[in-house]
Amino acid sequence: MGSIPFIFMIIFLFHLQRSKSQTIESTHLLDLMIRDYTIRNFNIHFKTGTIQKIHLPSNFSSIDIATARFRCGSLRRHGATIGEFHLGPGLTVQPCVERVMLVRQNLGFNWSSYLYLTGYNLTGYNFQLVSPVLGLLAYNSNPDGVAMNPYEINVMGTEQNPILIKFLSSKASRDPKPNTKQNSSLLCACFTSNGNITFREQVSAYVCLGTTQGHYALVVRAQESGGGAVVTPPSSPAVNEGGGGRLSRWKVAVGCVIGSIIGAFLLGLLVVAMVVKGKKKAMREEMERRAYEEEALQVSMVGHVRANPNASRTRTVPRFDNTRYTNK
């Protein structure tokens, strides 16, 4: 299983340079990579409802991940809080498996800009991101551990019992405090898996309302972005944080080259294996043919009689008795 995340990273870096539709596909690949790393590093000894931090590889170190497991019935009745996401009671969980694993993502400004600003064509809508993209996804989980075959669970709220996304927290006292008055120019953007975006007003200052799991961010119109406060959730790493936070073009190029070399090498091994197998099959058929020809009995027809050409060409010479008989 250790090679699966590496393959995901190569495929993801390759898709990152492609068209809009394939960039949206890259967001799905990123979700799968985060899911696999979460499952690999999940500590099953943590109590139900306890939040765990997941550390990604250095190339994705600017992405902040937290996860927790909940009983499906308890999640529906009481809701839950994980990071900036507050799930109220009365949720719908489909299918309602015994354990549900919630994975909260904070993609940071760099990955948010690379994937969502360009991939979802926010500039075409004349919007700009003013917060990192926050994601919440749910997967099935076994009672005694994590699922070997994870699949996505649908967690949905309603307008009366919504999912609230709070982009600010009182714990961020060390960060510069932006204006907490509701900014009417800010809108909540919800990014769907099919590449669409839905916009709606904030329910309060820097608080968005959602009715389903997915990815959310605060946006502002481009002409109104000048002088606007940039919202930085407390758990998001700094934009210029070291350790691979910014994905430079040469790293992408190196990743593509490495992926191409590995692909060509594997393709070459496949071709060599097919050629060797074909030669062995041809040699085996030739040996079988020769053995059959050497062992088969060669016969020929003389009139209506089958004759063996390998029979001896000599016959016993008749012998005549020279004894003379006399008449008595």
Side-chain angles (χ1 to χ4, degrees):
M1 189 175 178
S3 61
I4 294 178
F6 175 73
I7 296 174
F8 266 130
M9 281 189 284
I10 292 178
I11 297 175
F12 178 71
L13 292 174
F14 176 72
H15 278 276
L16 192 62
Q17 299 297 314
R18 308 296 292 273
S19 62
K20 173 187 173 183
S21 61
Q22 290 169 328
T23 304
I24 295 174
E25 182 181 349
S26 297
T27 63
H28 180 62
L29 292 175
L30 180 61
D31 291 337
L32 294 179
M33 189 274 293
I34 292 175
R35 181 199 67 183
D36 289 346
Y37 262 89
T38 301
I39 291 175
R40 289 184 61 197
N41 296 278
F42 188 83
N43 189 341
I44 62 176
H45 302 293
F46 272 55
K47 292 183 179 180
T48 300
T50 304
I51 298 177
Q52 301 182 37
K53 300 286 290 184
I54 303 297
H55 300 285
L56 299 180
S58 59
N59 284 343
F60 301 89
S61 62
S62 61
I63 300 177
D64 187 71
I65 303 297
T67 183
R69 283 192 309 172
F70 299 89
R71 292 180 181 271
C72 179
S74 176
L75 183 62
R76 291 193 303 178
R77 290 190 300 270
H78 306 292
T81 297
I82 178 169
E84 297 83 2
F85 290 88
H86 300 263
L87 291 74
L91 295 169
T92 300
V93 182
Q94 295 179 346
C96 188
V97 295
E98 186 171 352
R99 295 286 196 282
V100 178
M101 175 185 290
L102 296 181
V103 179
R104 164 263 187 197
Q105 307 172 1
N106 186 330
L107 301 183
F109 284 101
N110 288 318
W111 285 102
S112 300
S113 299
Y114 271 113
L115 293 177
Y116 288 87
L117 184 62
T118 57
Y120 282 80
N121 195 24
L122 268 177
T123 55
Y125 289 98
N126 200 27
F127 280 103
Q128 291 184 351
L129 288 172
V130 294
S131 76
V133 174
L134 304 179
L136 179 69
L137 298 176
Y139 303 97
N140 62 312
S141 179
N142 296 331
D144 55 347
V146 294
M148 297 302 295
N149 296 310
Y151 53 86
E152 192 167 331
I153 302 293
N154 292 322
V155 177
M156 296 170 288
T158 62
E159 294 292 336
Q160 292 73 29
N161 300 301
I163 300 174
L164 296 179
I165 306 96
K166 299 182 179 180
F167 288 86
L168 294 179
S169 173
S170 59
K171 297 179 181 179
S173 58
R174 66 179 183 272
D175 297 332
K177 200 168 185 179
N179 185 8
T180 56
K181 297 177 66 175
Q182 183 170 353
N183 189 343
S184 60
S185 63
L186 296 181
L187 294 176
C188 301
C190 176
F191 304 93
T192 61
S193 58
N194 58 4
N196 295 327
I197 312 175
T198 58
F199 301 96
R200 66 185 305 166
E201 299 287 340
Q202 304 171 86
V203 294
S204 60
Y206 304 106
V207 177
C208 292
L209 181 149
T211 57
T212 183
Q213 65 187 45
H215 295 83
Y216 296 86
L218 287 175
V219 297
V220 66
R221 292 197 177 275
Q223 64 268 22
E224 299 175 0
S225 61
V230 176
V231 182
T232 306
S235 55
S236 65
V239 176
N240 294 324
E241 178 185 5
R246 178 176 294 277
L247 186 65
S248 57
R249 293 189 177 182
W250 71 267
K251 290 184 179 179
V252 175
V254 170
C256 294
V257 171
I258 293 176
S260 302
I261 293 174
I262 293 175
F265 177 72
L266 295 177
L267 182 61
L269 289 180
L270 179 62
V271 172
V272 171
M274 293 177 63
V275 171
V276 171
K277 184 178 180 181
K279 287 186 177 180
K280 288 184 176 179
K281 183 178 179 181
M283 291 176 62
R284 184 173 62 252
E285 292 177 352
E286 180 67 17
M287 292 175 64
E288 291 176 355
R289 184 183 64 80
R290 290 184 179 180
Y292 177 79
E293 291 179 353
E294 292 176 357
E295 294 178 3
L297 180 63
Q298 301 292 328
V299 297
S300 60
M301 300 295 295
V302 179
H304 297 286
V305 180
R306 299 172 69 88
N308 184 0
N310 295 326
S312 175
R313 297 186 179 181
T314 61
R315 58 176 295 182
T316 304
V317 179
R319 299 177 65 183
F320 298 97
D321 192 0
N322 294 327
T323 305
R324 295 182 179 180
Y325 296 90
T326 57
N327 295 327
K328 293 182 179 182

